[in-house]
Amino acid sequence: MNRQNILELLEQVRTGAVSPSEGVERLRHFPYEDLGFARVDHHRTLRMGFPEVIFGLGKKPEQIARIVRSLLPQRCNILVTRCSRAAYTRIRRVVRKARFHEDAHAASIVQDRTVYGDGTIHVVCAGTSDIPVAEEAALTAELMGNAVERTFDAGVAGIHRLLSAREALVRARVVIVVAGMEGALPSVVGGLVSVPVVAVPTSVGYGSSFGGMTALLAMLNSCASNVSVVNIDNGFGAGYVASLINRKR
Amino acid sequence: MNRQNILELLEQVRTGAVSPSEGVERLRHFPYEDLGFARVDHHRTLRMGFPEVIFGLGKKPEQIARIVRSLLPQRCNILVTRCSRAAYTRIRRVVRKARFHEDAHAASIVQDRTVYGDGTIHVVCAGTSDIPVAEEAALTAELMGNAVERTFDAGVAGIHRLLSAREALVRARVVIVVAGMEGALPSVVGGLVSVPVVAVPTSVGYGSSFGGMTALLAMLNSCASNVSVVNIDNGFGAGYVASLINRKR
Amino acid sequence: MNRQNILELLEQVRTGAVSPSEGVERLRHFPYEDLGFARVDHHRTLRMGFPEVIFGLGKKPEQIARIVRSLLPQRCNILVTRCSRAAYTRIRRVVRKARFHEDAHAASIVQDRTVYGDGTIHVVCAGTSDIPVAEEAALTAELMGNAVERTFDAGVAGIHRLLSAREALVRARVVIVVAGMEGALPSVVGGLVSVPVVAVPTSVGYGSSFGGMTALLAMLNSCASNVSVVNIDNGFGAGYVASLINRKR
Amino acid sequence: MNRQNILELLEQVRTGAVSPSEGVERLRHFPYEDLGFARVDHHRTLRMGFPEVIFGLGKKPEQIARIVRSLLPQRCNILVTRCSRAAYTRIRRVVRKARFHEDAHAASIVQDRTVYGDGTIHVVCAGTSDIPVAEEAALTAELMGNAVERTFDAGVAGIHRLLSAREALVRARVVIVVAGMEGALPSVVGGLVSVPVVAVPTSVGYGSSFGGMTALLAMLNSCASNVSVVNIDNGFGAGYVASLINRKR
Amino acid sequence: MNRQNILELLEQVRTGAVSPSEGVERLRHFPYEDLGFARVDHHRTLRMGFPEVIFGLGKKPEQIARIVRSLLPQRCNILVTRCSRAAYTRIRRVVRKARFHEDAHAASIVQDRTVYGDGTIHVVCAGTSDIPVAEEAALTAELMGNAVERTFDAGVAGIHRLLSAREALVRARVVIVVAGMEGALPSVVGGLVSVPVVAVPTSVGYGSSFGGMTALLAMLNSCASNVSVVNIDNGFGAGYVASLINRKR
Amino acid sequence: MNRQNILELLEQVRTGAVSPSEGVERLRHFPYEDLGFARVDHHRTLRMGFPEVIFGLGKKPEQIARIVRSLLPQRCNILVTRCSRAAYTRIRRVVRKARFHEDAHAASIVQDRTVYGDGTIHVVCAGTSDIPVAEEAALTAELMGNAVERTFDAGVAGIHRLLSAREALVRARVVIVVAGMEGALPSVVGGLVSVPVVAVPTSVGYGSSFGGMTALLAMLNSCASNVSVVNIDNGFGAGYVASLINRKR
Amino acid sequence: MNRQNILELLEQVRTGAVSPSEGVERLRHFPYEDLGFARVDHHRTLRMGFPEVIFGLGKKPEQIARIVRSLLPQRCNILVTRCSRAAYTRIRRVVRKARFHEDAHAASIVQDRTVYGDGTIHVVCAGTSDIPVAEEAALTAELMGNAVERTFDAGVAGIHRLLSAREALVRARVVIVVAGMEGALPSVVGGLVSVPVVAVPTSVGYGSSFGGMTALLAMLNSCASNVSVVNIDNGFGAGYVASLINRKR
Amino acid sequence: MNRQNILELLEQVRTGAVSPSEGVERLRHFPYEDLGFARVDHHRTLRMGFPEVIFGLGKKPEQIARIVRSLLPQRCNILVTRCSRAAYTRIRRVVRKARFHEDAHAASIVQDRTVYGDGTIHVVCAGTSDIPVAEEAALTAELMGNAVERTFDAGVAGIHRLLSAREALVRARVVIVVAGMEGALPSVVGGLVSVPVVAVPTSVGYGSSFGGMTALLAMLNSCASNVSVVNIDNGFGAGYVASLINRKR
């Protein structure tokens, strides 16, 4: 449509109905996006292998299922975060191969199995209560075409458990570290590896943990220089950033 | 320059060297701003009567004077906020008609005396310590072509002083209310007038005033519906917003 | 009644029963409001076109309906914010033409269709979760006699969507910008327009969004000078302030 | 019992079984409270007219009723704060003359009608939502033997309503001011009277009112010097402090 | 002057030049304060024995001396808080009997030795660093005509020192308690006496004392019901409130 | 398994298949934990008398019972904190001698009655609402083999109750002090004893108690030097730390 | 003196001038401390080996030297914290054997070399900037008669440095852990040892370290159960608490 | 040394003086670090191309120069952050090719010009006051062997300036975004690119910017999923993380 408008203008320039300098004037009044849509296409190409993500929280099963249906033709992977079992049941009626991930509170539909990642993404978490966030991160990374390894329940108060995983950690291209309470784990992991560490504070804790704020602040003040941080409980964001870091060029 | 590029392209379309549909393709690759500059011009026209503002804090007298000199040819008013007397002395060597505003900690150069405002902007402040911020707001509004009235030292604990100014307040098109400590004044003023009130918290106070945070929060929670708020000590912002509200169409 | 008291006093002055200097003394003892009621009347006239607003939260359907009934004779528009469907059903039994606004969680009764606004009020919001607050703002502005335009779901991470609306934004007399999470939208919009921007933070977000506090602080620290801010989720306040700004003199 | 121990010791001193200097040594090892109980008695006398207070929150109706029963013989007034209707019903089975105070969410049993107060305690509140806290303050003061006056719904955005009550306010010996949102009311009232103002912030508000913290901070930063503050929603505390201030010597 | 205006109007009513009903209309347009000034006078009388207070912080010695000179004719006591020795030296040139209070960082001029207080005001403080604030409170109370007793350096970690002062505390009509760090003292004192306790948090402490915020919060949450609180370091406010409580009727 | 690997390597050294210096190289590549497991054993011995703790919150009765069953063979004491009655009922089906502690919201199974403690641990709490946390601390200490004494409901506003317990307090080897609201109690107790005081803030309070944050900050700022602090409501942690302090060497 | 009063009373009882029951009455009116002073003596004995501590901050060299002189006769150790070199120079004129501790910003005078501690106190710190606080803790412990070991500069991002010290850590009776920034170290150390860990947050860091608040919160939320916490930068407090824990019975 | 110990043990195994199974037992008692040092070596190799970093803040010129000298033999690049000109002058005496970076407040010594980076790191900053932090990030990335591009002074209120840089942004492998005030820039940039965005809040701003906390929170709540965050003013950390992301495998 907009392409049409510009084409018509250029036709008029070609026929002399509009002078070039007048054409410049008219072009000025076309809104940006009219010219920009091709870029959006290129953009889409650039974004191959990116999943479509539906934030399930606060959406009704019926709504989620409808969005899932509309996304299917794009042939990309689909991730539904904060997805209830009820919503999953409804999704399955739309697409049989949908899977439910109990730990991650998420559903997924895999349509693209291409490997987009260069190396391994390692997801570490401190306690068993951090697993839902860690699994959301891991699942996101998997749906974005990455090999993922997991080391769960490796809190800093039992440092030997973490040290056991050291060989695997050192192999990774990116490490995601998920921790609540005092949020100390990313600093320790950051000291063990030479790759970027994406830290995710969780809202696990009580009293002065302030819903994850203590862990968040601790991570931002990490004495390890290779740590950057995402929002509290933002497993998806960590998985997404890690996937971009690991992405083949 | 960019205009030139587009003109050349259109010339090629006119001569047939480039087909219209090819022209569309090429246009897509021009960055937005190449087409947008004319808009910037229109924009400039729209912004007639707007002062150029130099935030003086942290800049050296020499730097400020240099910026002032570069702005003079635009023939607009110039405002230097947080301006030391030393900087002012340096500015005066560049432009003799520069004035210093002791109370507002600011300097001004008036080159445009057009009246851009529709009605009166009334600036109220609670205590004498709030005057610097109030004066910065008033000065900004004056340099943007507005009639300004002032009612200073009218805190809520001496409500009769504020009530005396009521007739004047009711006449205003906008009221700017500047207050530190408990920040109660905008609510009282807001109840007296039917026009927008722009509230400015100041960092005046001690103990649990938290550098103006208490006043800021109080103003945001005003029980008067006609109050909106700018940042702590942001007299310039309040004068600017009030001028836009009062601006003739 | 009070007018009567003063009249009687003046009659006594006229007849000589009370000397003028004695009359001065007596007048001193009349409470302020006895003399002030006429002003209240003028005030009312000044406030023509203002809706009566009922904050529905925490009120029972029966209570809301009773207040609505008592306001009907004033012939002004009536707005019930935070209104449940149950309350609406109860209101409709009182007045058939009441309308329910699902998105805004509000009910309205229109009795005054006068246009009080000068130009257009444009309401922008960042994400779909911000719509309830944005709609409350828009509805308030409409009930106060303004032409309202809406651009919803135009977050800063997809800047082209916002740029598409630029022509419309530039036409507006005031822009209301509603955003949660990082609250970045008002700064971007503020840079695109030359009119006042009223920013409304929403409690949308999680983790360190702190129920809207992050968005609120971001908006107060906007690098655009034409932004002022109202309380978190205060769509009504934004619509009210914008209406006052847009009001014909 | 302890009195007995000391008595026995002194008997031994009298009979010479224990020398005086030995008696001093032994006395040193009596815990403080053994000697102190008489003082508690005096103390009790000093505290005549003080109600017994039961904080009802979190206690079961049965528990409350049992405590009420145990307090009855003291013949003092009894106040149950945060009292549900169910708890009240249970209390009435214990004592028929118990009264329920819907607005104050409290129950009372009056057994002592002595006037302990010197002057009047005036309770002002800003909005209708502040009434429960204001009523708790008023009720506490009444049960402590004071004459109480009320001015409710007198927020600062409608200052004339407050000014109407000025005569009454000026007569009071203490003023209790209850307000949520921006907490501005105590400053205005503080400026109108020459007596102590006890300010009570309420958790009324939303967004950045932070459950009363904004009002609390505003009150602590009051520009009126006669204001002191109690905790958020602490109507009981305000009534108690005001009663002590008003107490006949 | 304003009185004159009203008198003239009433003269015109008396002579018939203005009808009574016209007079009512005209009266409506007199601003409130024109009628209110007599009240101010009454107010002044009510306020007999109140000192004039100059907040010395941020004022130059010369300015302070000038204000002192202007206040002298009122024959009331004068208090200069946060007064430097330099300012005091300058004041003494204006009035020889000015005194400097090293501990309270204040200067005073006593012109009125009337006893306005009913009983004794007892000022307690926790540590030696709290003394400046405690002395400011004590000095304020003395200048307002009260008998003042002091118990300093009686922190809760050495409870016996406080218990020694118990007899004196019990005699007081009001107790001011000044404390920094954990702010525990008002609760303990509050439990020992049956009179109002005015608590003043100080900014004494380090680390998580947050400039007095910890002490402030602790005092607001006191388990003793007779405690109310003023702002951090606000010794003047505490002395002022205590004086009003102790004031003879 | 790992032991096996090392054994094999040493066999090869013994037979000369691997030279000693080559053996050193190979050993370097064994992950830490392979060599470390024996230490874990020693560690276990060191930890004799330590209970196994199950944090019951958020776990299902079935899950808790299963963990209990798996721990039974270790013959140590078992503590289930935040344990519902339902969970307890389920536990009892696994082990008949399980006991429920209503006040501490906990269940325990005692299998080891050895006395590991040197002296007495005294648990003090301020109000009745603090009892659950205090009981959790006491129960933890008892299960870790300590003699425990309790002084409950001894708030600072009734200081004589605390003084009565002084003899017992002075005898203790460690004192745990549990308090909400203003958190003043540890300072007072700290001044009475010469042993370590472990302070536990509770979330008891309302308004500006901020879920225990006020008490926490107060305790950290205690003027008594023998006070250290654990997290809000962390009765278990306090009991644990106190037990380590009291532990026989 | 007071002892005298009681003695005289008992003499009168002995002679019959006062009856025993009358004696009881009279005793009631002696303030607590009159009887309590002996206890203070016992107390003093209990406190043998405790240093006298002078908080040097804000005190003048002359003042500090005077206090030191007054304390010398007690023959206990003396610690001056936050002591400038100038103050130390002044102290040395009073007592030649005074020593200055550059790292700890402290001075000490050793007069008592008794070993009061049972085992070793180990002080660990994270970075070189934490050393002043760590040294203050170590010095305090030494002056209280303890054997002290130090492991400095052992941050969690270089975990092997900490692991090297493990043998020594495991031997300690108490461990003090000093750390700024993210405050992770106490959790890791807490997991390595079975003894009490006293954690000291330092104000080392920038940005969102908030002067040590981040480290403080992290430590309070430690996943290791044997950690308790003192105030930010409170090295003295940590040394004091650790000494009490390590104290021979 | 430790290597020696193990070697000796293995010699004994070889000679049969120690049996293999006994050898396993003995190995268990060697501390971890004894075996681990070789790994540290490997680690060093892995870290080739990493600069040595000296945090200059609080260090004396002499100290800095001494550390620089000790690092020179490693032949790696050296970065001194927060470096004064005086320190630089002192460094130059040690090594002539040291360079001073005025904008970044840093000094560098380049000894390794290898390209370690895969693509380009693009550094964007919002305002001119953010340049020091942005330059610190850029310099760090350059010293770690990366190609760096800069787009400075591209705040969101002038969105066209950012859009002009879009082509360059899209080419980058990582983008570092530096912004103070409202911290909105990373969200906008995040929406324009498909690569990781490392956001750095700066302490630029005033009033409620809270030393960068507002920008920090805004960035953590970014609606763009590809944003992670480092601490306030932590330009070094951002440059370090970005370099790791861009690092060739």
Side-chain angles (χ1 to χ4, degrees), chain E residues 157-177:
Chain E
I159 202 74
H160 54 279
R161 227 178 323 178
L162 188 67
L163 294 177
S164 315
R166 195 169 133 162
E167 298 288 314
L169 283 167
V170 165
R171 272 195 314 270
R173 174 68 181 99
V174 206
V175 183
I176 294 171
V177 184

Side-chain angles (χ1 to χ4, degrees), chain C residues 111-124:
Chain C
Q111 306 191 98
D112 174 7
R113 296 190 179 276
T114 322
V115 175
Y116 293 98
D118 222 26
T120 302
I121 295 176
H122 201 116
V123 182
V124 189

Side-chain angles (χ1 to χ4, degrees), chain B residues 84-169:
Chain B
S84 65
R85 188 164 271 285
Y88 167 65
T89 309
R90 188 64 198 74
I91 293 168
R92 271 211 72 199
R93 278 196 256 152
V94 172
V95 46
R96 284 216 66 80
K97 65 175 165 180
R99 276 191 55 209
F100 191 59
H101 305 263
E102 186 104 41
D103 281 340
H105 303 319
S108 69
I109 296 118
V110 176
Q111 306 191 99
D112 174 7
R113 296 190 180 279
T114 323
V115 175
Y116 294 98
D118 220 28
T120 304
I121 294 176
H122 201 114
V123 182
V124 189
C125 82
T128 52
S129 323
D130 301 318
I131 290 177
V133 176
E135 273 297 342
E136 187 181 286
L139 181 59
T140 302
E142 284 167 349
L143 289 178
M144 288 176 79
N146 297 283
V148 173
E149 289 189 315
R150 288 160 173 86
T151 300
F152 284 3
D153 201 8
V156 294
I159 201 73
H160 54 280
R161 230 181 318 179
L162 187 67
L163 295 176
S164 314
R166 195 168 132 160
E167 297 288 313
L169 283 167

Side-chain angles (χ1 to χ4, degrees), chain F residues 65-83:
Chain F
R66 210 166 33 229
I67 305 176
V68 165
R69 192 198 314 266
S70 74
L71 295 173
L72 283 175
Q74 302 193 17
R75 311 306 310 158
C76 61
N77 294 333
I78 300 174
L79 170 63
V80 189
T81 63
R82 318 276 161 112
C83 180

Side-chain angles (χ1 to χ4, degrees), chain E residues 6 27 51 90 99 112 132 159 225 245 247:
Chain E
I6 302 170
L27 276 170
R90 188 63 198 74
R99 277 190 55 209
D112 174 7
I159 202 74
S225 302
I245 293 173
R247 202 163 180 82

Side-chain angles (χ1 to χ4, degrees), chain D residues 20 25 51 81 83-84 94-95 120 160 171 181 229 231:
Chain D
E25 286 313 305
T81 63
C83 180
S84 65
V94 172
V95 46
T120 303
H160 53 280
R171 272 196 314 269
M181 302 178 83
V229 186
N231 201 358

Side-chain angles (χ1 to χ4, degrees), chain G residues 209-231:
Chain G
S209 75
F210 298 123
M213 194 60 193
T214 291
L216 171 60
L217 290 174
M219 290 170 178
L220 284 164
N221 286 279
S222 176
C223 53
S225 301
N226 49 350
V227 175
S228 68
V229 187
V230 298
N231 201 358

